[in-house]
mmCIF file of all heavy atoms in Angstrom:
data_model
loop_
_atom_site.group_PDB
_atom_site.id
_atom_site.type_symbol
_atom_site.label_atom_id
_atom_site.label_comp_id
_atom_site.label_asym_id
_atom_site.label_seq_id
_atom_site.Cartn_x
_atom_site.Cartn_y
_atom_site.Cartn_z
ATOM 1 N N GLU E 403 -5.296 -5.276 -2.485
ATOM 2 C CA GLU E 403 -4.705 -6.439 -1.842
ATOM 3 C C GLU E 403 -3.255 -6.639 -2.293
ATOM 4 O O GLU E 403 -2.348 -6.847 -1.472
ATOM 5 C CB GLU E 403 -5.538 -7.679 -2.171
ATOM 6 C CG GLU E 403 -4.976 -8.981 -1.621
ATOM 7 C CD GLU E 403 -5.690 -10.199 -2.185
ATOM 8 O OE1 GLU E 403 -6.897 -10.084 -2.519
ATOM 9 O OE2 GLU E 403 -5.045 -11.265 -2.321
ATOM 10 N N ARG E 404 -3.033 -6.575 -3.620
ATOM 11 C CA ARG E 404 -1.697 -6.804 -4.155
ATOM 12 C C ARG E 404 -0.745 -5.648 -3.813
ATOM 13 O O ARG E 404 0.418 -5.883 -3.470
ATOM 14 C CB ARG E 404 -1.784 -6.990 -5.667
ATOM 15 C CG ARG E 404 -0.498 -7.419 -6.346
ATOM 16 C CD ARG E 404 -0.003 -8.754 -5.834
ATOM 17 N NE ARG E 404 1.227 -9.142 -6.529
ATOM 18 C CZ ARG E 404 1.314 -10.124 -7.399
ATOM 19 N NH1 ARG E 404 0.221 -10.821 -7.692
ATOM 20 N NH2 ARG E 404 2.446 -10.414 -7.992
ATOM 21 N N MET E 405 -1.237 -4.421 -3.895
ATOM 22 C CA MET E 405 -0.391 -3.267 -3.583
ATOM 23 C C MET E 405 0.098 -3.314 -2.142
ATOM 24 O O MET E 405 1.285 -3.107 -1.860
ATOM 25 C CB MET E 405 -1.159 -1.972 -3.836
ATOM 26 C CG MET E 405 -1.359 -1.639 -5.286
ATOM 27 S SD MET E 405 0.131 -1.068 -6.143
ATOM 28 C CE MET E 405 0.267 0.612 -5.513
ATOM 29 N N THR E 406 -0.803 -3.557 -1.195
ATOM 30 C CA THR E 406 -0.418 -3.556 0.212
ATOM 31 C C THR E 406 0.478 -4.740 0.553
ATOM 32 O O THR E 406 1.398 -4.610 1.371
ATOM 33 C CB THR E 406 -1.666 -3.545 1.114
ATOM 34 O OG1 THR E 406 -2.544 -4.587 0.757
ATOM 35 C CG2 THR E 406 -2.410 -2.260 0.982
ATOM 36 N N ALA E 407 0.218 -5.900 -0.073
ATOM 37 C CA ALA E 407 1.052 -7.077 0.182
ATOM 38 C C ALA E 407 2.481 -6.841 -0.293
ATOM 39 O O ALA E 407 3.448 -7.175 0.398
ATOM 40 C CB ALA E 407 0.459 -8.301 -0.505
ATOM 41 N N LEU E 408 2.615 -6.251 -1.490
ATOM 42 C CA LEU E 408 3.944 -5.998 -2.026
ATOM 43 C C LEU E 408 4.639 -4.875 -1.261
ATOM 44 O O LEU E 408 5.856 -4.917 -1.054
ATOM 45 C CB LEU E 408 3.846 -5.666 -3.516
ATOM 46 C CG LEU E 408 5.085 -5.897 -4.387
ATOM 47 C CD1 LEU E 408 5.628 -7.310 -4.219
ATOM 48 C CD2 LEU E 408 4.758 -5.638 -5.864
ATOM 49 N N ASP E 409 3.883 -3.880 -0.848
ATOM 50 C CA ASP E 409 4.451 -2.818 -0.014
ATOM 51 C C ASP E 409 5.047 -3.393 1.268
ATOM 52 O O ASP E 409 6.131 -2.985 1.714
ATOM 53 C CB ASP E 409 3.376 -1.790 0.347
ATOM 54 C CG ASP E 409 3.183 -0.733 -0.722
ATOM 55 O OD1 ASP E 409 3.955 -0.724 -1.709
ATOM 56 O OD2 ASP E 409 2.274 0.107 -0.569
ATOM 57 N N LYS E 410 4.342 -4.321 1.880
ATOM 58 C CA LYS E 410 4.813 -4.924 3.116
ATOM 59 C C LYS E 410 6.123 -5.671 2.895
ATOM 60 O O LYS E 410 7.060 -5.555 3.699
ATOM 61 C CB LYS E 410 3.747 -5.870 3.679
ATOM 62 C CG LYS E 410 4.103 -6.463 5.040
ATOM 63 C CD LYS E 410 2.978 -7.336 5.571
ATOM 64 C CE LYS E 410 3.327 -7.914 6.935
ATOM 65 N NZ LYS E 410 2.218 -8.763 7.469
ATOM 66 N N ILE E 411 6.204 -6.429 1.796
ATOM 67 C CA ILE E 411 7.412 -7.187 1.481
ATOM 68 C C ILE E 411 8.587 -6.252 1.208
ATOM 69 O O ILE E 411 9.718 -6.506 1.640
ATOM 70 C CB ILE E 411 7.163 -8.101 0.260
ATOM 71 C CG1 ILE E 411 6.172 -9.213 0.619
ATOM 72 C CG2 ILE E 411 8.468 -8.701 -0.246
ATOM 73 C CD1 ILE E 411 5.672 -9.985 -0.593
ATOM 74 N N ARG E 412 8.315 -5.154 0.508
ATOM 75 C CA ARG E 412 9.376 -4.241 0.086
ATOM 76 C C ARG E 412 9.599 -3.076 1.038
ATOM 77 O O ARG E 412 10.416 -2.197 0.765
ATOM 78 C CB ARG E 412 9.064 -3.719 -1.323
ATOM 79 C CG ARG E 412 9.034 -4.808 -2.373
ATOM 80 C CD ARG E 412 8.729 -4.257 -3.763
ATOM 81 N NE ARG E 412 8.794 -5.336 -4.764
ATOM 82 C CZ ARG E 412 8.617 -5.157 -6.072
ATOM 83 N NH1 ARG E 412 8.360 -3.950 -6.543
ATOM 84 N NH2 ARG E 412 8.693 -6.192 -6.898
ATOM 85 N N ASN E 413 8.838 -3.043 2.129
ATOM 86 C CA ASN E 413 8.961 -1.970 3.111
ATOM 87 C C ASN E 413 8.738 -0.609 2.461
ATOM 88 O O ASN E 413 9.517 0.337 2.645
ATOM 89 C CB ASN E 413 10.319 -2.024 3.814
ATOM 90 C CG ASN E 413 10.368 -1.176 5.084
ATOM 91 O OD1 ASN E 413 9.341 -0.979 5.754
ATOM 92 N ND2 ASN E 413 11.551 -0.667 5.411
ATOM 93 N N GLU E 414 7.651 -0.511 1.697
ATOM 94 C CA GLU E 414 7.273 0.721 1.020
ATOM 95 C C GLU E 414 5.825 1.052 1.351
ATOM 96 O O GLU E 414 5.089 0.212 1.890
ATOM 97 C CB GLU E 414 7.447 0.585 -0.500
ATOM 98 C CG GLU E 414 8.895 0.360 -0.937
ATOM 99 C CD GLU E 414 9.013 0.058 -2.414
ATOM 100 O OE1 GLU E 414 8.090 -0.559 -2.981
ATOM 101 O OE2 GLU E 414 10.053 0.409 -3.009
ATOM 102 N N GLN E 415 5.398 2.276 1.008
ATOM 103 C CA GLN E 415 4.008 2.683 1.154
ATOM 104 C C GLN E 415 3.579 3.424 -0.093
ATOM 105 O O GLN E 415 4.178 4.450 -0.463
ATOM 106 C CB GLN E 415 3.818 3.574 2.394
ATOM 107 C CG GLN E 415 3.960 2.851 3.727
ATOM 108 C CD GLN E 415 3.581 3.742 4.892
ATOM 109 O OE1 GLN E 415 3.964 4.899 4.961
ATOM 110 N NE2 GLN E 415 2.823 3.217 5.817
ATOM 111 N N TRP E 416 2.554 2.917 -0.758
ATOM 112 C CA TRP E 416 2.116 3.528 -2.007
ATOM 113 C C TRP E 416 1.739 4.995 -1.837
ATOM 114 O O TRP E 416 1.899 5.804 -2.763
ATOM 115 C CB TRP E 416 0.948 2.737 -2.609
ATOM 116 C CG TRP E 416 -0.287 2.659 -1.748
ATOM 117 C CD1 TRP E 416 -0.627 1.651 -0.890
ATOM 118 C CD2 TRP E 416 -1.339 3.630 -1.637
ATOM 119 N NE1 TRP E 416 -1.830 1.938 -0.266
ATOM 120 C CE2 TRP E 416 -2.286 3.142 -0.716
ATOM 121 C CE3 TRP E 416 -1.568 4.872 -2.234
ATOM 122 C CZ2 TRP E 416 -3.432 3.850 -0.359
ATOM 123 C CZ3 TRP E 416 -2.717 5.584 -1.902
ATOM 124 C CH2 TRP E 416 -3.633 5.067 -0.980
ATOM 125 N N GLN E 417 1.268 5.368 -0.643
ATOM 126 C CA GLN E 417 0.856 6.755 -0.396
ATOM 127 C C GLN E 417 2.002 7.739 -0.607
ATOM 128 O O GLN E 417 1.766 8.899 -0.941
ATOM 129 C CB GLN E 417 0.302 6.912 1.035
ATOM 130 C CG GLN E 417 -0.936 6.079 1.329
ATOM 131 C CD GLN E 417 -0.630 4.737 1.928
ATOM 132 O OE1 GLN E 417 0.412 4.140 1.660
ATOM 133 N NE2 GLN E 417 -1.539 4.257 2.759
ATOM 134 N N ASP E 418 3.233 7.273 -0.406
ATOM 135 C CA ASP E 418 4.400 8.146 -0.551
ATOM 136 C C ASP E 418 4.739 8.420 -2.010
ATOM 137 O O ASP E 418 5.447 9.389 -2.310
ATOM 138 C CB ASP E 418 5.616 7.528 0.142
ATOM 139 C CG ASP E 418 5.435 7.374 1.645
ATOM 140 O OD1 ASP E 418 4.619 8.132 2.215
ATOM 141 O OD2 ASP E 418 6.104 6.508 2.237
ATOM 142 N N PHE E 419 4.265 7.576 -2.919
ATOM 143 C CA PHE E 419 4.674 7.660 -4.315
ATOM 144 C C PHE E 419 3.515 7.930 -5.285
ATOM 145 O O PHE E 419 3.714 8.535 -6.329
ATOM 146 C CB PHE E 419 5.377 6.357 -4.728
ATOM 147 C CG PHE E 419 6.546 6.011 -3.859
ATOM 148 C CD1 PHE E 419 6.415 5.162 -2.767
ATOM 149 C CD2 PHE E 419 7.789 6.564 -4.113
ATOM 150 C CE1 PHE E 419 7.499 4.852 -1.956
ATOM 151 C CE2 PHE E 419 8.883 6.256 -3.311
ATOM 152 C CZ PHE E 419 8.731 5.411 -2.225
ATOM 153 N N ILE E 420 2.318 7.464 -4.933
ATOM 154 C CA ILE E 420 1.159 7.646 -5.797
ATOM 155 C C ILE E 420 0.032 8.240 -4.951
ATOM 156 O O ILE E 420 -1.011 7.605 -4.708
ATOM 157 C CB ILE E 420 0.706 6.316 -6.440
ATOM 158 C CG1 ILE E 420 1.915 5.498 -6.907
ATOM 159 C CG2 ILE E 420 -0.217 6.587 -7.636
ATOM 160 C CD1 ILE E 420 1.576 4.140 -7.472
ATOM 161 N N PRO E 421 0.202 9.468 -4.441
ATOM 162 C CA PRO E 421 -0.756 10.030 -3.480
ATOM 163 C C PRO E 421 -2.162 10.204 -4.043
ATOM 164 O O PRO E 421 -3.134 10.191 -3.276
ATOM 165 C CB PRO E 421 -0.127 11.377 -3.104
ATOM 166 C CG PRO E 421 0.811 11.710 -4.236
ATOM 167 C CD PRO E 421 1.328 10.399 -4.707
ATOM 168 N N GLU E 422 -2.302 10.355 -5.362
ATOM 169 C CA GLU E 422 -3.620 10.565 -5.935
ATOM 170 C C GLU E 422 -4.552 9.357 -5.767
ATOM 171 O O GLU E 422 -5.771 9.478 -5.857
ATOM 172 C CB GLU E 422 -3.526 10.931 -7.425
ATOM 173 C CG GLU E 422 -3.001 9.827 -8.352
ATOM 174 C CD GLU E 422 -1.496 9.836 -8.515
ATOM 175 O OE1 GLU E 422 -0.810 10.399 -7.642
ATOM 176 O OE2 GLU E 422 -0.997 9.269 -9.513
ATOM 177 N N LEU E 423 -3.974 8.181 -5.493
ATOM 178 C CA LEU E 423 -4.796 6.989 -5.315
ATOM 179 C C LEU E 423 -5.585 7.008 -4.006
ATOM 180 O O LEU E 423 -6.494 6.202 -3.813
ATOM 181 C CB LEU E 423 -3.937 5.722 -5.380
ATOM 182 C CG LEU E 423 -3.322 5.386 -6.739
ATOM 183 C CD1 LEU E 423 -2.556 4.067 -6.672
ATOM 184 C CD2 LEU E 423 -4.393 5.300 -7.813
ATOM 185 N N LYS E 424 -5.253 7.948 -3.110
ATOM 186 C CA LYS E 424 -6.035 8.079 -1.879
ATOM 187 C C LYS E 424 -7.495 8.367 -2.208
ATOM 188 O O LYS E 424 -8.391 8.045 -1.421
ATOM 189 C CB LYS E 424 -5.455 9.192 -1.010
ATOM 190 C CG LYS E 424 -4.055 8.908 -0.463
ATOM 191 C CD LYS E 424 -3.509 10.103 0.298
ATOM 192 C CE LYS E 424 -2.068 9.852 0.759
ATOM 193 N NZ LYS E 424 -1.484 11.039 1.450
ATOM 194 N N ASP E 425 -7.727 8.977 -3.382
ATOM 195 C CA ASP E 425 -9.092 9.337 -3.786
ATOM 196 C C ASP E 425 -9.968 8.121 -4.050
ATOM 197 O O ASP E 425 -11.191 8.229 -4.024
ATOM 198 C CB ASP E 425 -9.063 10.214 -5.047
ATOM 199 C CG ASP E 425 -8.471 11.592 -4.792
ATOM 200 O OD1 ASP E 425 -8.346 11.972 -3.607
ATOM 201 O OD2 ASP E 425 -8.136 12.283 -5.768
ATOM 202 N N ILE E 426 -9.353 6.974 -4.356
ATOM 203 C CA ILE E 426 -10.161 5.795 -4.671
ATOM 204 C C ILE E 426 -10.003 4.690 -3.626
ATOM 205 O O ILE E 426 -10.444 3.573 -3.834
ATOM 206 C CB ILE E 426 -9.848 5.240 -6.069
ATOM 207 C CG1 ILE E 426 -8.377 4.813 -6.195
ATOM 208 C CG2 ILE E 426 -10.200 6.254 -7.135
ATOM 209 C CD1 ILE E 426 -8.080 4.101 -7.530
#
């Protein structure tokens, strides 16, 4: 919840920087 909310505010996507988290 917090990661996606902050990504939206900052116009970022965690998948681009921490791809290993796709596993969880």
Side-chain angles (χ1 to χ4, degrees):
E403 177 191 331
R404 188 61 179 250
M405 287 287 284
T406 53
L408 203 52
D409 275 354
K410 185 177 181 179
I411 292 169
R412 297 180 176 182
N413 195 29
E414 296 173 328
Q415 290 188 315
W416 61 265
Q417 298 93 329
D418 297 336
F419 304 94
I420 318 176
E422 67 271 21
L423 292 183
K424 294 176 184 177
D425 292 345
I426 60 173

